[in-house]
Amino acid sequence: MTNSALPTPDAQNVTTIDDAQSVMPDLPRRARILKTLRPWLKPKIVLGGTVVFMLVFIGIFAPVIAPYDPNGQNLINALRAPGWFSEPHFLGTDHVGRDILSRIIYGARISLVIAATVVVISGVIGIGLGAISGFFAGRTDFLIQKLVEVVWAFPPLLLAIAIMAFFGQSLLILIVALVVQRWIPYCRVARGQALSLRTRDFVDAARSLGASNTRIITRHVLPNLIQAAMVIGTFAMATAIIAEASLSFLGLGVPPAIPTWGSMLADGRTYISTSWWLALFPGLCIFFTVLGINMLGDGMRDLFDPRLKRSGQGMG
Amino acid sequence: MLSYIVRRILGTIPVILLISLLVFMLVQAAPGDPADLLLSDEATKEDIDDARKRWGLDQPIHVQYGKFLIAALQGDLGTSFRYTDPVVTMIVDRLPATIELAVVSILIALIVGIPLGVWAGARPNSWIDNVGSFVGFFGISMPNFWFGIMLILVVSGYFNLLPSAGRSTYGVGGPPITGFFILDNIIHGDWNAVRDGISYIILPAVALGTNMMGILMRVTRSSVLEVMHEDFVRTARAKGVRDTVVLWRHVVRNALIPIITVVGLELGTLLSGSIIVETVFSWPGSGSLLISAITSRDYPLITGTVLTYTLAFVIINFIIDILYGTIDPRIRFDK
């Protein structure tokens, strides 16, 4: 994969900065930063990044931004249409008079926390198992790959639905249910990398210098996976948000007291014939969030490795 | 080829066994005893013990799994707790509706996604490429259940064009032959019922197919883009073959392999998506059966449906694997 003329594959990431320094050594610091940043200034990345940034911002400052308590019921005000600027409830209220805008804002927080946790845990498990699988090969590899094959044989989301059905609603189980298949793409990439690296000269060299397996994996195998993991993680984030919303929509997500976009949509479906705003706004939020994250992932993939373009999307 | 198929079948068996084990373990690991859950609160200790004995829950776990497996191999997935009907019959009754919906969704995805992808890939950065790219992003980012709700809201609710729930108008159509409503009525020659069936299937199929359409468009585009640079395309052009012929005969045919792979992979997403879309549109398929089974804690029905879906997915992937060789003779099956 990487050019063997390079001293170490990790150096590849740094080459742009090194080049910039060697070609234009007198370049002021600001210009150098700009030059490093330039490849990132693609419409997809900027647009997607803005959406993600806004989401994080809204999520963190939810208590400050939200005009009402997301769970504050007010039956007199139930099913009030969006008032835009003329009424107190900008996006209207739901069937028990809760403010839709406030619930959406808090929902962003929940969606983001769940999706990010799922992506990080999946990444750690997937990359860990993948690196071990590829590096040690043989029996370990066989066992891990069998596990991958079996878990991957389930249609995406179905296993999560089954887990939620049997173990009931809780945040912890939801995260487990979403991780259960999401570590696999990481594992595949990590295994491939580890397999191709284990026979390479620099790994032999490291070993002959007395480096332990753990050291070789953490110092030589893992750094090569960062870019791929970032791309996989971004797409996994998008699918995790949709999956979480789907489960909450089916009533299998987080406990009902926590406002999420998916459970808001479930209410929206019930009141669809009378109150369109219940279903429209949370759905729009999911759509634009996922769209933004997908664009970011797409942009990053184009940037890191145009050859990856063909591999389509992650999993739903 | 034949030996490849046999080898693949043999390789699939352990996977299926492990899947069944995993699903079985899931039920075992679930908190609460089914006997406790199902009997009423007034049930005495003896009642519960009696029920446990009747359902074989008092036996060691490997014996229970063995019995479950042997029964499953004979096509017996147990009896629904709630409906006291055999699980297999219930699923088989509902399966045609799900397959019908899936097939129509795939057709929509293929008919829109592939031509759009081919045109976009043939003319990168043109207006059609931009339209395609938008459709692609729209498809992969749209949660199917929300799209379904919006379709109901706008198409059924606001414009009142298409029905929003169910599979056909009550009383329309002849007796089932294959279980596929539209196909059955084509056989009956009842065109009114066919039209009725189509009007019911359009919205759920669009909601379900959009995701696959987006992915197909994206994959087709990049696949075509890649093949366009191959030598044989230049040769064909140099020979004076017309552009359309080059595109559809030379390029698309060679771009098919990744497209088929993606269709196969995405069928899994489509299957699980159908569970949710069926719920949104009250479509009487096996997906909505699963959700109602979950709501009523009908464990045998849940396991049965999950196993059926997974088995279907494994078989589909198997067929896709075999298809490769038919589409691309360069792929050899002898290792």
Side-chain angles (χ1 to χ4, degrees):
Chain A
M1 297 227 4
T2 34
N3 186 351
S4 54
L6 291 168
T8 59
D10 345 359
Q12 209 189 24
N13 307 345
V14 197
T15 40
T16 43
I17 304 171
D18 284 350
D19 286 351
Q21 276 171 329
S22 56
V23 176
M24 290 168 278
D26 303 328
L27 215 58
R29 198 180 143 74
R30 240 184 68 212
R32 238 189 296 141
I33 293 172
L34 262 178
K35 199 170 164 64
T36 332
L37 270 179
R38 175 132 326 128
W40 289 83
L41 295 175
K42 299 267 162 55
K44 276 185 206 163
I45 297 183
V46 173
L47 226 68
T50 311
V51 171
V52 174
F53 177 78
M54 270 170 53
L55 202 69
V56 173
F57 182 83
I58 291 173
I60 292 174
F61 294 103
V64 185
I65 305 170
Y68 293 90
D69 172 9
N71 288 317
Q73 304 189 2
N74 181 354
L75 288 172
I76 297 168
N77 259 332
L79 295 177
R80 210 162 255 259
W84 311 120
F85 291 102
S86 62
E87 287 212 38
H89 295 284
F90 186 69
L91 297 181
T93 61
D94 69 1
H95 56 292
V96 286
R98 294 174 295 199
D99 183 52
I100 301 268
L101 179 64
S102 305
R103 286 179 76 72
I104 284 180
I105 290 171
Y106 274 90
R109 193 178 221 190
I110 304 296
S111 291
L112 208 67
V113 168
I114 293 177
T117 316
V118 166
V119 167
V120 170
I121 297 177
S122 309
V124 171
I125 296 178
I127 292 176
L129 281 182
I132 293 171
S133 186
F135 191 77
F136 292 108
R139 182 178 294 233
T140 325
D141 184 40
F142 177 80
L143 285 177
I144 294 176
Q145 290 317 304
K146 259 293 163 270
L147 180 69
V148 166
E149 204 181 335
V150 170
V151 176
W152 201 239
F154 285 86
L157 203 64
L158 185 69
L159 199 53
I161 289 179
I163 290 174
M164 294 311 288
F166 286 121
F167 292 89
Q169 300 180 353
S170 89
L171 209 57
L172 182 72
I173 292 172
L174 179 68
I175 288 171
V176 172
L178 292 177
V179 166
V180 92
Q181 280 188 313
R182 234 163 229 93
W183 57 274
I184 290 178
Y186 292 102
C187 182
R188 293 219 159 122
V189 174
R191 176 174 177 266
Q193 269 283 1
L195 268 178
S196 77
L197 285 178
R198 64 194 289 267
T199 51
R200 294 274 293 278
D201 291 344
F202 71 89
V203 172
D204 283 343
R207 186 174 287 132
S208 65
L209 287 172
S212 65
N213 282 333
T214 324
R215 190 184 158 82
I216 293 174
I217 289 180
T218 50
R219 298 303 285 272
H220 296 286
V221 178
L222 295 186
N224 281 293
L225 291 169
I226 290 172
Q227 292 187 344
M230 276 170 75
V231 174
I232 295 173
T234 314
F235 285 126
M237 182 104 185
T239 65
I241 287 176
I242 291 195
E244 184 270 318
S246 307
L247 288 172
S248 298
F249 175 74
L250 292 173
L252 295 169
V254 290
I258 305 175
T260 66
W261 294 341
S263 57
M264 291 175 77
L265 276 179
D267 294 338
R269 185 186 168 241
T270 316
Y271 294 92
I272 188 150
S273 48
T274 52
S275 317
W276 51 269
W277 55 94
L278 257 64
L280 178 68
F281 300 120
L284 274 180
C285 286
I286 304 177
F287 174 64
F288 281 114
T289 302
V290 174
L291 186 70
I293 297 176
N294 276 332
M295 283 174 123
L296 185 65
D298 227 40
M300 273 166 38
R301 190 172 50 189
D302 295 350
L303 185 68
F304 291 153
D305 187 1
R307 279 168 304 176
L308 279 174
K309 261 191 173 177
R310 230 172 71 161
S311 56
Q313 247 262 307
M315 40 163 297
Chain B
M1 178 78 186
L2 193 68
S3 80
Y4 173 77
I5 295 179
V6 171
R7 209 167 45 226
R8 267 303 310 261
I9 292 176
L10 289 179
T12 311
I13 290 172
V15 175
I16 292 176
L17 283 179
L18 285 171
I19 289 168
S20 72
L21 183 66
L22 197 68
V23 173
F24 180 78
M25 301 265 281
L26 217 54
V27 187
Q28 294 301 318
D33 184 345
D36 244 354
L37 280 171
L38 283 161
L39 298 181
S40 72
D41 290 340
E42 287 118 62
T44 58
K45 180 91 178 50
E46 285 82 56
D47 289 339
I48 293 176
D49 285 344
D50 184 49
R52 284 176 61 84
K53 193 169 261 167
R54 199 150 20 98
W55 290 325
L57 296 172
D58 54 344
Q59 285 160 333
I61 191 158
H62 60 272
V63 177
Q64 284 190 48
Y65 175 64
K67 283 193 169 166
F68 166 79
L69 195 64
I70 290 167
L73 286 176
Q74 292 165 343
D76 173 13
L77 290 172
T79 311
S80 155
F81 283 163
R82 187 175 171 208
Y83 303 95
T84 62
D85 285 327
V87 167
V88 172
T89 342
M90 292 182 72
I91 295 173
V92 168
D93 280 351
R94 296 278 206 128
L95 218 47
T98 297
I99 298 174
E100 192 173 33
L101 179 60
V103 168
V104 177
S105 307
I106 296 168
L107 282 180
I108 293 177
L110 289 174
I111 290 170
V112 182
I114 292 193
L116 208 55
V118 170
W119 287 326
R123 288 179 188 72
N125 300 320
S126 63
W127 67 270
I128 186 96
D129 190 20
N130 291 331
V131 171
S133 155
F134 174 77
V135 171
F137 269 119
F138 180 87
I140 61 166
S141 307
M142 180 58 90
N144 52 22
F145 55 103
W146 182 59
F147 193 37
I149 295 175
M150 286 300 112
L151 286 175
I152 293 179
L153 193 66
V154 176
V155 181
S156 312
Y158 192 75
F159 291 109
N160 205 5
L161 288 176
L162 293 166
S164 66
R167 199 177 172 200
S168 62
T169 310
Y170 183 74
V172 171
I177 307 167
T178 55
F180 300 103
F181 185 84
I182 296 174
L183 189 66
D184 280 353
N185 286 297
I186 291 176
I187 298 171
H188 287 308
D190 186 348
W191 298 108
N192 230 356
V194 173
R195 209 172 310 127
D196 185 65
I198 291 175
S199 75
Y200 273 90
I201 209 168
I202 289 177
L203 290 190
V206 168
L208 185 55
T210 307
N211 182 258
M212 193 191 242
M213 178 195 75
I215 292 168
L216 263 179
M217 182 272 142
R218 284 159 64 92
V219 174
T220 309
R221 177 185 180 273
S222 47
S223 185
V224 163
L225 209 64
E226 203 165 290
V227 177
M228 288 293 271
H229 297 296
E230 299 267 358
D231 289 343
F232 62 83
V233 175
R234 202 178 333 126
T235 312
R237 281 240 173 81
K239 281 197 310 189
V241 182
R242 269 185 301 131
D243 271 1
T244 355
V245 180
V246 172
L247 187 59
W248 292 96
R249 289 270 283 281
H250 296 79
V251 175
V252 173
R253 194 148 179 221
N254 284 287
L256 271 179
I257 286 288
I259 297 174
I260 290 169
T261 313
V262 166
V263 171
L265 280 175
E266 287 308 314
L267 271 174
T269 315
L270 194 92
L271 277 178
S272 37
S274 75
I275 297 169
I276 304 166
V277 171
E278 280 179 15
T279 312
V280 172
F281 287 92
S282 313
W283 187 259
S286 40
S288 47
L289 183 71
L290 173 65
I291 297 305
S292 73
I294 289 173
T295 320
S296 56
R297 289 184 156 269
D298 195 336
Y299 283 3
L301 194 52
I302 302 176
T303 6
T305 327
V306 170
L307 272 181
T308 312
Y309 269 91
T310 311
L311 206 61
F313 189 38
V314 171
I315 293 172
I316 289 165
N317 277 320
F318 178 74
I319 295 170
I320 298 264
D321 255 19
I322 306 294
L323 265 182
Y324 284 148
T326 326
I327 286 160
D328 191 345
R330 283 173 302 185
I331 293 178
R332 295 244 176 274
F333 290 112
D334 34 72
K335 237 189 231 165

